[in-house]
Amino acid sequence: MTTPVAVIRHDWTRDEVLRLFDLSFNDLLFRAQSAHRRNFAADEVQISTLLSIKTGACPEDCKYCPQSVRYDTGLEREALMELEQVRDAARAAREGGATRFCMGAAWRRPKDRDLDRVIDMVHAVREEGLETCLTLGMLDAAQAERLREAGLDYYNHNLDTSPEYYGEVITTRSYQDRLDTLGHVREAGMKVCCGGIVGMGESRDDRAGLLVELANLPEHPQSVPINQLVRVPGTPLDQVDDLDPLEFVRTIAVARIVMPASVVRLSAGRTEMSDELQALCFLAGANSIFYGDRLLTTDNPAAQRDRALLERLGLRPAPGESAPVRGEEAAEARSESAA
Ligand code: SAM
Ligand code: DTB
Ligand code: SF4
């Protein structure tokens, strides 16, 4: 009998997932590393760079977020960026070694006239030969369709936590709103980037609940960012207790096991992590990072430190999924979305 390459399940129960969390650390990491090797080159790490294209003054009340207008975090608000600035940032990201460029806007949902400008940005980033990702808040079906026609590769929209803990963190949009947006993105045919945040004072049961929700979506998100809360002074979660770092590693390992063929990103929070902790996260099956000195509004490890870390661990950047699209394909996408 041969072992299947990847058993993709959508019927995980919370008890089963909690039993994975309860394994001995060695057993858990062995299972996660085995799942990883069945599906991915063991030493490749996908490299994404983030850019905040519209910063601050967000009407939503996400308690972790420095960009909510409700919390005084001292963040300067910035209007939607000019196209040429975005193009320059994308070019610099590609030259620095990123294969994907993720643009984030502090909106509840984009207005259609904003979407016109963001679509021009997607074209510009594609012309630089990078995969494209956007995170703009909630989308309706027509907006998702427009983004797919523009050639957008990924849309990021996180579930953030378990359905039970969600109301402790966000009250201005529901879990179902998030599932609806994810449905529109999936149905439009784009790849889904969806994960959450740990270290917000949630329980292990909540971490298991988040992973069950992600794994039981109609399709596993192709990209699963696992963020450790970045505690920003002025936000309501500023004073939350530290999460045990080994519990963070366990969360990555369980994500790898329940979504074996998805790229799991060790996302926000790396600035506070030692090289050794990050190495454990890679061993647990993380195979993507945000690269570059900034996340959206907070710091990320310096690019130089990350290059040294990857080198020390013998990890190499994964090749991008789409061939460079300077020229033909990008022009095609532009004329399609103009039609
Ligand atoms: N406004 C859009 C939205 O929320 O859908 C897009 C941008 S929002 C900043 C993207 C994601 O960043 C959030 O869903 C959350 O998971 C993550 N995030 C925001 N602030 C964070 C923080 N302080 N620590 C860790 N992750 C954070
Ligand atoms: C995701 O899951 N993490 C990224 C990205 N998707 C957009 C954002 C992290 C933001 C951390 C806080 C900040 O820099 O503002
Ligand atoms: Fe706004 Fe997104 Fe921040 Fe929530 S996470 S406050 S929606 S920018």
Side-chain angles (χ1 to χ4, degrees), residues 45-48 226-230 248 252 265-275 277-279 281-282 286 288-295 298-303 305-307 309-310:
V45 178
Q46 192 282 327
I47 308 278
S48 292
I226 303 293
N227 297 277
Q228 175 169 274
L229 175 69
V230 179
F248 184 82
I252 298 263
R265 181 173 306 124
L266 171 54
S267 301
R270 289 195 304 115
T271 306
E272 287 74 39
M273 293 180 195
S274 67
D275 285 1
L277 177 57
Q278 293 184 63
C281 292
F282 294 126
S288 172
I289 55 169
F290 284 125
Y291 175 78
D293 301 359
R294 297 289 278 173
L295 291 164
T298 64
D299 287 344
N300 199 42
R305 177 180 160 196
D306 277 343
R307 278 196 297 274
L309 175 64
L310 296 184

Side-chain angles (χ1 to χ4, degrees), residues 26-333:
N26 285 354
D27 281 347
L28 178 58
L29 261 67
F30 181 75
R31 280 192 57 175
Q33 180 63 202
S34 306
H36 191 188
R37 282 166 187 265
R38 279 198 292 273
N39 293 284
F40 293 99
D43 296 320
E44 278 185 3
V45 178
Q46 192 282 327
I47 308 278
S48 292
T49 290
L50 269 172
L51 177 69
S52 180
I53 56 170
K54 185 268 166 186
T55 304
C58 181
E60 303 284 83
D61 71 351
C62 313
K63 285 199 174 79
Y64 48 75
C65 186
Q67 303 204 66
S68 167
V69 75
R70 296 162 197 243
Y71 317 129
D72 184 8
T73 60
L75 185 71
E76 294 260 338
R77 59 174 71 178
E78 286 167 36
L80 187 58
M81 221 176 231
E82 293 301 323
L83 179 63
E84 289 314 312
Q85 272 180 287
V86 175
R87 193 192 298 277
D88 290 348
R91 187 172 303 140
R94 176 173 46 80
E95 287 168 358
T99 56
R100 190 175 310 156
F101 196 65
C102 308
M103 294 166 273
W107 286 322
R108 172 174 164 80
R109 58 168 77 254
K111 297 189 183 77
D112 285 337
R113 68 167 183 278
D114 291 326
L115 212 56
D116 294 339
R117 290 183 57 195
V118 171
I119 283 172
D120 289 341
M121 295 175 188
V122 171
H123 293 148
V125 173
R126 283 172 64 84
E127 282 167 7
E128 291 302 321
L130 286 152
E131 296 163 8
T132 49
C133 177
L134 286 174
T135 181
L136 312 173
M138 294 186 278
L139 294 182
D140 64 28
Q143 291 176 320
E145 190 56 36
R146 286 191 67 201
L147 291 174
R148 187 200 58 78
E149 282 169 8
L152 181 68
D153 298 299
Y154 288 81
Y155 194 81
N156 165 251
H157 198 67
N158 290 338
L159 288 178
D160 278 348
T161 189
S162 68
E164 295 83 0
Y165 198 65
Y166 184 85
E168 302 288 318
V169 183
I170 300 141
T171 69
T172 49
R173 75 171 70 148
S174 69
Y175 216 77
Q176 188 58 48
D177 287 334
R178 290 182 186 255
L179 293 169
D180 290 348
T181 292
L182 292 169
H184 297 321
V185 172
R186 192 172 56 241
E187 279 152 28
M190 285 178 287
K191 291 180 205 154
V192 170
C193 174
C194 182
I197 311 179
V198 297
M200 297 194 292
E202 77 288 339
S203 62
R204 175 178 277 186
D205 205 55
D206 292 313
R207 289 185 281 280
L210 166 67
L211 296 179
V212 167
E213 289 293 322
L214 292 169
N216 290 351
L217 287 169
E219 280 175 41
H220 289 175
Q222 285 76 11
S223 163
V224 180
I226 303 293
N227 297 277
Q228 175 169 274
L229 175 69
V230 179
R231 285 173 296 203
V232 180
T235 59
L237 294 182
D238 173 26
Q239 299 296 328
V240 79
D241 286 343
D242 276 346
L243 180 74
D244 173 3
L246 296 182
E247 181 70 9
F248 184 82
V249 179
R250 282 181 182 271
T251 308
I252 298 263
V254 176
R256 166 53 63 227
I257 294 167
V258 299
M259 292 171 281
S262 301
V263 172
V264 174
R265 181 173 306 124
L266 171 54
S267 301
R270 289 195 304 115
T271 306
E272 287 74 39
M273 293 180 195
S274 67
D275 285 1
E276 294 80 358
L277 177 57
Q278 293 184 63
L280 278 178
C281 292
F282 294 126
L283 191 63
N287 58 348
S288 172
I289 55 169
F290 284 125
Y291 175 78
D293 301 359
R294 297 289 278 173
L295 291 164
L296 289 173
T297 67
T298 64
D299 287 344
N300 199 42
Q304 173 54 37
R305 177 180 160 196
D306 277 343
R307 278 196 297 274
L309 175 64
L310 296 184
E311 168 104 30
R312 248 174 114 198
L313 298 177
L315 295 172
R316 56 180 189 275
E321 284 162 11
S322 49
V325 288
R326 288 168 162 282
E328 248 173 61
E329 204 189 316
E332 211 174 276

